[in-house]
Amino acid sequence: HARPFPRPHDRARHFVHQNHLFSKMNSATVNMSGRVVVGGNGSVNEDKFSLSVSAPFAGDGSVTLNAKPNYRPSVSSKNGVSHNVDAGNLVGLSEISDYDVTIAKPCELLGQACDVELSMQKCKSGQANAMTISTNHEKLGDVTVSLARKGAKVGGDTASADRASVKVNLPMKDLISNDDVTASVEYDIPSQNATLNLGYTSGDVRLGVKSSLNVKSNAASHKATVNYSGIEGVGVEVDCNQDVAGNLSVTKDKYELRVPFSKDGGVNPDDVQLRMTWSQSL
């Protein structure tokens, strides 16, 4: 049988649908980013390198694909010069070592306005998913529920085990009428870890203390951070744990000088790094 000729309203519907798809594609953003690290041991390498594509999703939501090419240039001058900048290794730019997919969408849950983010991470090498639900409660303040598999990143931290946690940013302004003090509490059910974060700002100085306690074993850890922003365009940060080990970091625009230190070893020049982050819209 001859294929029927499309009716006018079918052609119009197809045309509108096609225009809608092109509109979505035209509103997508593409960004390439990375970080170059110069080490005190004579090495230079690109330790982060990714290509991200973001587009609107389901009205006011978004979907982001973050792909990581299977190549990062590196050069080392320790014990003779060595590098991977050659044609054989450059082929890795055409391959993907791994990729993540993140879907973000505001919605209403149980009458409460929420922001929901679902991320499917390490889709190629071994999937580790995570989901966060954030909302602002009238009395409790900002509340975030995190569910993550081991190996997934949540808030910049990689989960060392399966995670199901609740974090509450306490409304200190309402509790003690002070904008300079911040506080949050977090409890993770599988690990039974309770974490308290306290912050205080005075002029150009911000102090932060993070204390974690395992309610089952009573094992505790502590970390203090001091930030100074009194020099225009320059950031200075020192973090230190209970073992007197940490980092001194000085940042200026896209550059960061990071100096690790410890009570016993002091500063090892080989561990000092100059980092440069870069980003390019395509």
Side-chain angles (χ1 to χ4, degrees), residues 61-266:
S62 65
V63 58
T64 301
L65 170 66
N66 185 44
K68 301 163 188 176
N70 194 27
Y71 173 72
R72 295 176 185 175
S74 64
V75 178
S76 176
S77 61
K78 192 172 184 178
N79 300 323
V81 177
S82 61
H83 64 84
N84 67 348
V85 187
D86 54 53
N89 286 300
L90 286 171
V91 174
L93 285 171
S94 65
E95 302 171 345
I96 300 298
S97 64
D98 220 331
Y99 62 93
D100 309 327
V101 179
T102 302
I103 299 173
K105 182 85 169 65
C107 64
E108 187 172 303
L109 298 174
L110 302 176
Q112 186 78 25
C114 300
D115 290 316
V116 179
E117 182 178 285
L118 173 65
S119 58
M120 293 157 281
Q121 304 174 24
K122 302 179 181 179
C123 294
K124 187 175 180 180
S125 63
Q127 195 162 322
N129 295 347
M131 181 173 69
T132 59
I133 303 173
S134 303
T135 188
N136 180 269
H137 190 273
E138 183 178 358
K139 295 182 178 180
L140 294 177
D142 293 329
V143 180
T144 301
V145 176
S146 301
L147 305 171
R149 287 295 188 187
K150 179 180 178 181
K153 278 193 174 182
V154 180
D157 297 325
T158 301
S160 58
D162 289 350
R163 177 175 173 180
S165 65
V166 179
K167 182 179 181 180
V168 180
N169 291 331
L170 301 174
M172 300 305 291
K173 182 180 179 181
D174 298 332
L175 295 174
I176 61 174
S177 300
N178 193 328
D179 286 336
D180 298 327
V181 178
T182 60
S184 69
V185 291
E186 183 173 12
Y187 183 72
D188 180 49
I189 297 172
S191 67
Q192 299 185 41
N193 281 334
T195 302
L196 171 66
N197 281 285
L198 295 174
Y200 175 71
T201 302
S202 177
D204 297 324
V205 179
R206 176 168 176 78
L207 307 175
V209 177
K210 179 179 181 179
S211 295
S212 296
L213 173 69
N214 187 282
V215 299
K216 184 177 181 180
S217 67
N218 288 326
S221 63
H222 310 282
K223 182 178 181 180
T225 304
V226 180
N227 294 86
Y228 178 70
S229 57
I231 306 173
E232 185 177 356
V234 177
V236 181
E237 178 181 294
V238 179
D239 66 74
C240 184
N241 62 21
Q242 71 272 12
D243 298 321
V244 195
N247 296 280
L248 165 65
S249 178
V250 181
T251 57
K252 169 68 175 174
D253 299 327
K254 59 184 177 181
Y255 297 96
E256 176 191 4
L257 176 65
R258 176 175 287 250
V259 183
F261 63 85
S262 65
K263 179 181 66 174
D264 299 326

